């Protein structure tokens, strides 16, 4: 059976993969936002980042698989064909996930960081396009490739443990195709 080495194969691997992506994205965006709005990095900014990361991580780990991951999968299936390349499907998946998550997390991040206030919607309008562009670039070029690299290494280790040499895995792939 042809199995993709760059993506999770089961729920446990899916949790690891999602956790890696969520953790890197939350750390990156929490740090970026805190430093961007504070204007400088100091102990107070560092402490606000440390306090914000677990809260934002939990929120991301709940809403991505429950809401935006499902929407992204459906939209990716609608805009791609079975014969399309892995890279095209991943790019669509990243685009749709980042579109939804950046919109939601820009609003949620402002609420978590500043509470409900009268400028919530205008802040969202001003900040969301920037957040979307930054996360899209970070996810496409750094975060997702790191998570896929981890999956490849994990699957190679599993294949070695199962006694399959790299040539055997390649033969299995070509036999199924």
């Amino acid at each position: 059976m042809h199995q993709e080495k760059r993506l999770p194969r089961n729920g446990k691997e899916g949790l690891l993969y999602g956790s890696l992506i969520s953790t890197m994205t939350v750390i990156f965006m929490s740090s970026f936002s805190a430093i961007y709005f504070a204007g400088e990095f100091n102990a107070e900014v560092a402490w606000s980042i440390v306090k914000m990361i677990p809260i934002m991580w939990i929120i991301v780990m709940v809403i991505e698989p429950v809401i935006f991951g499902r929407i992204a999968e459906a939209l990716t299936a609608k805009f791609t064909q079975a014969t399309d390349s892995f890279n095209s499907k991943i790019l669509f998946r990243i685009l749709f996930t980042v579109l939804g998550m950046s919109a939601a997390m820009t609003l949620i991040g402002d609420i978590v960081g500043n509470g409900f206030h009268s400028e919530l919607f205008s802040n969202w309008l001003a900040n969301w396009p920037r957040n979307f562009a930054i996360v899209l670039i970070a996810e496409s070029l750094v975060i997702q490739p790191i998570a896929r690299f981890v999956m490849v290494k994990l699957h190679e280790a599993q294949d070695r443990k199962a006694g399959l040499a790299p040539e055997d895995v390649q033969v299995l792939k070509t036999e199924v195709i």
Side-chain angles (χ1 to χ4, degrees):
M1 177 183 207
H2 175 69
Q3 292 189 335
E4 178 57 60
K5 283 189 167 209
R6 296 170 284 190
L7 296 175
R9 295 177 180 166
N10 57 46
K12 194 162 64 168
E13 290 177 6
L15 181 62
L16 172 63
Y17 185 73
S19 295
L20 287 168
I21 293 168
S22 296
T23 301
M24 288 185 281
T25 305
V26 166
I27 290 170
F28 175 74
M29 283 308 293
S30 295
S31 301
F32 174 82
S33 295
I35 294 167
Y36 179 81
F37 290 115
E40 63 178 335
F41 186 77
N42 56 36
E44 185 179 328
V45 172
W47 182 242
S48 72
I49 293 169
V50 169
K51 290 189 306 188
M52 180 89 57
I53 287 173
I55 297 164
M56 300 309 284
W57 186 83
I58 291 168
I59 293 168
V60 166
M61 287 300 290
V62 170
I63 67 172
E64 194 284 328
V66 172
I67 301 169
F68 297 109
R70 292 178 183 184
I71 293 170
E73 279 298 318
L75 289 171
T76 300
K78 188 173 188 77
F79 286 98
T80 60
Q81 304 280 331
T83 56
D84 287 344
S85 72
F86 172 83
N87 289 336
S88 66
K89 290 178 183 181
I90 282 293
L91 284 174
F92 271 107
R93 178 73 156 84
I94 291 169
L95 174 68
F96 295 133
T97 302
V98 169
L99 188 64
M101 288 297 291
S102 64
M105 293 309 293
T106 299
L107 183 66
I108 293 168
D110 195 10
I111 292 169
V112 169
N114 303 313
F116 287 98
H117 53 89
S118 61
E119 297 172 352
L120 193 61
F121 186 68
S122 63
N123 284 353
W124 182 86
L125 285 174
N127 295 332
W128 175 72
R130 180 202 65 227
N131 290 349
F132 170 72
I134 291 168
V135 174
L136 184 62
I137 292 166
E139 288 268 343
S140 299
L141 300 178
V142 180
I143 295 169
Q144 290 270 345
I146 291 171
R148 287 193 300 276
F149 177 77
V150 169
M151 285 292 109
V152 167
K153 292 301 177 188
L154 175 69
H155 293 142
E156 286 174 354
Q158 289 171 347
D159 292 345
R160 277 193 306 277
K161 187 175 179 182
L164 293 175
E167 311 82 55
D168 297 334
V169 173
Q170 188 61 37
V171 168
L172 287 173
K173 284 183 180 178
T174 56
E175 288 177 357
V176 172
I177 297 174

